[in-house]
Amino acid sequence: MDPFALLGIERRFDVDLRAVERAHRHLSCVVHPDRQGSEPPGARAEALGRTASLNEAMRIVRDPLRRAETLLSLAGAARDGEGPMEQSFLASMLELREALEDAKDARNLSRVRALAETVLARAEATKAELTQAFRGADEKPAMLDVARARLAELRFFMRFAEEASLAEDVLSEGGGAPLEG
């Protein structure tokens, strides 16, 4: 499935999500099963299928990880697994994970939040690099390798942010123990 084609939008990483939502809303109204009242019986089932496809396309395009994975797949550049990662990146992620574990153990909510902000800032920078890599891939197909590497890094950042968010929720609930921060 090409979610970009289904939604009638340009195939790119840096999509305008508001424009995508408008396109999705418009198309959803056009193919909605309730609009198939005078059509043959199979038309309603077909409309349900098109609506489900549109909704899945929207979920893919809305999620930066799935959007990048789909762009790589559509370009014939998808690979299984993360592939080799730069040692410096892996070392920095290991340090961040250890810092997060230390902050959680110390019930230091402000430290957890600071680490989450740091990683989210790095995720945004990585998304910008992904945008540039996909833009450059039209002229230099090797840029798809760069996009694949940035995607792997973005996965790390998003998992870290999710873990930090869960830790924030747990620490914010308190549980009776005093919190730092």
Side-chain angles (χ1 to χ4, degrees):
M1 167 174 58
D2 181 346
F4 302 93
L6 271 175
L7 292 167
I9 60 173
E10 185 178 352
R11 192 184 286 179
R12 57 190 297 168
F13 182 74
D14 58 330
V15 294
D16 177 351
L17 289 177
R18 288 185 186 172
V20 173
E21 287 173 6
R22 283 192 300 272
H24 175 258
R25 202 174 15 254
H26 171 74
L27 291 168
S28 293
C29 287
V30 170
V31 302
H32 196 279
D34 290 346
R35 292 180 153 251
Q36 311 303 318
S38 62
E39 297 294 323
R44 185 171 174 80
E46 188 177 313
L48 280 171
R50 284 186 294 193
T51 298
S53 294
L54 280 173
N55 291 339
E56 179 61 12
M58 186 63 198
R59 282 190 287 273
I60 290 169
V61 171
R62 187 181 294 143
D63 181 335
L65 293 174
R66 293 183 72 193
R67 186 170 60 239
E69 289 166 352
T70 300
L71 286 168
L72 286 169
S73 178
L74 291 170
R79 290 193 188 141
D80 291 333
E82 300 285 338
M85 305 280 300
E86 291 183 21
Q87 287 300 315
S88 61
F89 175 79
L90 292 173
S92 74
M93 288 307 301
L94 184 60
E95 287 176 18
L96 283 168
R97 290 213 162 275
E98 288 173 357
L100 180 61
E101 289 304 316
D102 289 346
K104 287 169 32 181
D105 290 345
R107 304 190 47 75
N108 186 335
L109 181 57
S110 62
R111 179 70 179 139
V112 169
R113 287 181 174 153
L115 289 165
E117 288 175 16
T118 297
V119 168
L120 288 173
R122 290 181 67 181
E124 287 305 313
T126 301
K127 288 179 192 174
E129 292 173 8
L130 262 170
T131 295
Q132 294 304 316
F134 279 118
R135 283 183 184 164
D138 288 338
E139 293 181 21
K140 292 182 181 178
M143 292 300 289
L144 291 173
D145 293 333
V146 174
R148 200 174 15 260
R150 297 295 84 80
L151 173 59
E153 292 174 5
L154 186 59
R155 285 188 189 113
F156 273 88
F157 294 139
M158 300 309 283
R159 282 192 296 257
F160 185 97
E162 187 175 307
E163 186 177 334
S165 176
L166 289 172
E168 282 183 55
D169 289 346
V170 168
L171 293 176
S172 295
E173 292 172 5
L179 294 175
E180 296 179 35

